[in-house]
Amino acid sequence: MQPGATRVFLDANILYSRTLRDWFCLLSQESGLDGIALFWSEDVWAEVIYHLRKANPHHSDAQVGGWRRRLLEGFPDAMVTNYVIDPQFLAGDPCDAHVIAAAQKGAVDYMVTSNIKDFATLADILDFEIYDPDSFLCLIAERRPAATYATTKRQLKYWKMKAGAKELPKALSDARAPQFAGKVKTILQQIALRADY
């Protein structure tokens, strides 16, 4: 990550996971104007909403669409539009060509996805790097420790009020971010030692 804002495109599988979505959004907020800028597309959101509704047919509009609307309001510059599908992007998984096209159009530095293998054949022609969520969260923790510390405090404060909530490291491990979970566990120990909560 270079000085100034780091532009990050989130794939649908990141936004679908409440744990990962919350961490990325809060890290972006805590990193400030020259920190981490998040990006996504309508196609990505269509995937998220489809899978969320399929898994939760009983959920209300507020539970499916309401949080999406609030998130879009909180990140008004995140939506990438007006991209076209370059035929060479179809060489990978054709169903993921729209993700590559949107990330390229958004001139991002990184794309975060849980399906790196689906994009591996295109890596050499892209203008951005592709990371899995665990590796990228660890990169953020290394390069932006203050934002990571502040986000951990916010998460701790929020989830302490929720009865039966998982501990933060457990939730991250379950979301397939075990290395980052270890870093958060260390931060939680620091918070406890400093009584900083």
Side-chain angles (χ1 to χ4, degrees):
M1 293 179 200
Q2 302 300 320
T6 301
R7 299 169 67 87
V8 182
F9 191 92
L10 300 180
D11 196 3
N13 45 52
I14 307 303
L15 292 168
Y16 179 81
S17 165
R18 179 175 181 179
T19 298
L20 296 178
R21 180 177 69 239
D22 285 355
W23 276 95
F24 275 101
C25 289
L26 291 173
L27 284 163
S28 175
Q29 290 177 345
E30 291 294 340
S31 68
L33 292 176
D34 290 329
I36 299 162
L38 300 181
F39 294 90
W40 44 62
S41 68
E42 286 290 2
D43 280 326
V44 162
W45 275 109
E47 284 189 47
V48 175
I49 296 301
Y50 169 77
H51 288 291
L52 189 60
R53 175 55 73 195
K54 187 175 179 181
N56 303 282
H58 57 288
H59 276 187
S60 68
D61 168 63
Q63 291 170 295
V64 175
W67 64 264
R68 174 190 181 271
R69 290 188 291 272
R70 288 190 298 275
L71 199 57
L72 296 183
E73 289 170 8
F75 294 87
D77 300 320
M79 190 67 72
V80 178
T81 59
N82 299 318
Y83 50 88
V84 295
I85 309 298
D86 188 317
Q88 64 183 336
F89 297 160
L90 299 170
D93 182 342
C95 292
D96 286 327
H98 69 89
V99 181
I100 294 293
Q104 286 278 79
K105 176 70 175 183
V108 300
D109 303 299
Y110 302 95
M111 185 180 82
V112 183
T113 179
S114 294
N115 299 326
I116 287 186
K117 61 177 173 38
D118 292 346
F119 301 96
T121 59
L122 301 173
D124 291 340
I125 65 169
L126 302 177
D127 297 328
F128 53 86
E129 296 180 51
I130 302 175
Y131 274 76
D132 66 81
D134 196 22
S135 298
F136 197 74
L137 287 167
C138 287
L139 185 62
I140 292 173
E142 176 188 330
R143 304 281 177 87
R144 301 193 187 272
T148 307
Y149 187 90
T151 298
T152 302
K153 280 181 61 178
R154 283 180 67 178
Q155 290 276 49
L156 179 62
K157 182 177 180 180
Y158 177 82
W159 288 108
K160 277 179 71 173
M161 298 185 296
K162 301 290 183 182
K166 294 179 185 178
E167 292 187 1
L168 298 181
K170 170 66 172 163
L172 284 162
S173 290
D174 289 350
R176 296 188 292 176
Q179 294 178 75
F180 183 65
K183 294 183 182 296
V184 167
K185 187 173 182 179
T186 300
I187 293 171
L188 290 171
Q189 291 167 348
Q190 294 169 354
I191 290 170
L193 285 172
R194 299 173 186 172
D196 186 21
Y197 48 89

